[in-house]
Amino acid sequence: MVILLVKIVSAMVYPVGMAFFLLAAGMGLWRWGRSDRWQARGKWTAVGGLVVLYVFSNGLVAEQLARSLERRVMPPDPLPHADGVIVLGGGISPRAFPRQTAEVHDAGDRLLYGAHLIREGLADWMVCAGGGGELSYIEQTEAEAMQEMLGWMGVADDQITLDTKSRNTRENAAESLPLAIERGATRVFLVTSASHMPRSLGIYKKQAEQLGIEGLEIIPAPCDYTIIDPEKYPPLFYRVAMNLLPNAGSLRISTQILHEYYGMVYYWLRGWI
């Protein structure tokens, strides 16, 4: 119930919810305001909602927001060998009708990259972190779905350990770190989306300290980048012209990055990072 309430309330601080609230409040004041002053305030409040929607659906804004997080924690170059890999959930949809198998979505790169590290001989085993969550009514947990897909990629079951209990990033760390220690780990890769890595790495280091785990090196291995540096850019005027137009993809990226920043503030206030 707490998670449900948090999700409902938090929707109002993301661009779409914020814009909707400002538009609804502004139009209400504009239509039913008791004086010209209140009606004028209503107009400007509604305009504010449109401005919020435009700014966060602007490609230039979304790109800068994403860069501010995705480039904050970079992997070592070259990658060293580690004992194992901890892959955070959030990129796999468990099997449920009418899906015939587990399926990947946007952050599915996490699992693919974890499998890549094992296939390249940089790690020997993997901990898959992802339970069903309080709001999930699907029998298969995400960790179990990850194991199913790893089998297709040639990763053996004895190389996989499952955390099927965790529901968020903090619980991922609390559940998966002891599983890695049981495997005898002294060095592990932490694999998650690049925008999620700053918060995740902070949580894992804090949890290791609170659990009394010493001598464990956690190596960031980010993936799922939304912003890249191509070998050749299109002309500047073309980029600016295209990014001035609002689009749903940029709005999604902005919302995702804001979610991470809100999460970092919340976790810091709780003393979790």
Side-chain angles (χ1 to χ4, degrees):
M1 181 58 71
V2 174
I3 293 179
L4 176 61
L5 291 175
V6 169
K7 288 183 180 293
I8 292 173
V9 173
S10 65
M12 302 306 296
V13 299
Y14 293 121
V16 172
M18 192 185 307
F20 174 80
F21 175 77
L22 290 173
L23 281 167
M27 293 176 68
L29 288 173
W30 188 2
R31 174 64 179 83
W32 291 292
R34 295 185 177 182
S35 65
D36 291 343
R37 177 179 295 182
W38 279 104
Q39 289 177 0
R41 289 174 178 174
K43 292 179 184 179
W44 285 110
T45 300
V47 169
L50 292 175
V51 170
V52 167
L53 196 59
Y54 174 74
V55 167
F56 288 107
S57 61
N58 182 288
L60 296 175
V61 172
E63 179 177 340
Q64 293 308 310
L65 282 173
R67 281 184 182 276
S68 70
L69 273 186
E70 292 188 346
R71 305 303 169 88
R72 184 172 296 189
V73 179
M74 300 297 288
D77 185 20
L79 286 174
H81 182 274
D83 300 303
V85 184
I86 298 176
V87 177
L88 302 191
I92 306 298
S93 298
R95 185 174 60 254
F97 184 82
R99 299 180 192 134
Q100 299 302 301
T101 65
E103 297 178 356
V104 297
H105 51 80
D106 288 351
D109 295 345
R110 301 177 184 183
L111 186 64
L112 300 178
Y113 189 50
H116 167 77
L117 293 173
I118 290 180
R119 295 296 297 272
E120 289 296 308
L122 291 172
D124 301 322
W125 45 261
M126 181 187 299
V127 176
C128 299
E134 183 176 316
L135 302 181
S136 175
Y137 299 95
I138 300 175
E139 183 176 346
Q140 185 183 46
T141 65
E142 187 172 5
E144 292 167 340
M146 293 163 77
Q147 182 180 31
E148 177 182 331
M149 303 191 81
L150 287 169
W152 307 342
M153 292 181 268
V155 180
D157 284 348
D158 61 5
Q159 293 178 282
I160 304 169
T161 300
L162 303 182
D163 153 32
T164 59
K165 299 178 181 178
S166 59
R167 301 166 299 173
N168 54 46
T169 308
R170 178 174 177 266
E171 292 181 6
N172 286 160
E175 296 292 338
S176 62
L177 281 171
L179 296 176
I181 294 301
E182 289 178 9
R183 285 269 192 174
T186 58
R187 176 188 285 171
V188 294
F189 290 117
L190 178 62
V191 175
T192 189
S193 301
S195 61
H196 189 224
M197 183 59 77
R199 180 161 61 109
S200 300
L201 187 61
I203 292 167
Y204 267 77
K205 289 182 176 181
K206 188 72 171 183
Q207 277 292 309
E209 177 185 330
Q210 292 178 346
L211 293 171
I213 298 174
E214 298 180 355
L216 177 64
E217 182 182 0
I218 303 172
I219 302 172
C223 61
D224 186 31
Y225 288 90
T226 57
I227 305 300
I228 60 171
D229 295 327
E231 290 80 8
K232 184 178 180 180
Y233 283 96
L236 180 61
F237 74 88
Y238 176 83
R239 293 181 62 208
V240 172
M242 291 302 296
N243 282 316
L244 285 176
L245 297 174
N247 67 85
S250 295
L251 181 61
R252 182 181 62 83
I253 291 173
S254 296
T255 301
Q256 174 186 334
I257 301 302
L258 287 176
H259 172 79
E260 285 303 319
Y261 274 118
Y262 292 152
M264 290 168 69
V265 171
Y266 177 73
Y267 276 45
W268 178 76
L269 290 173
R270 294 296 301 268
W272 295 345
I273 58 176

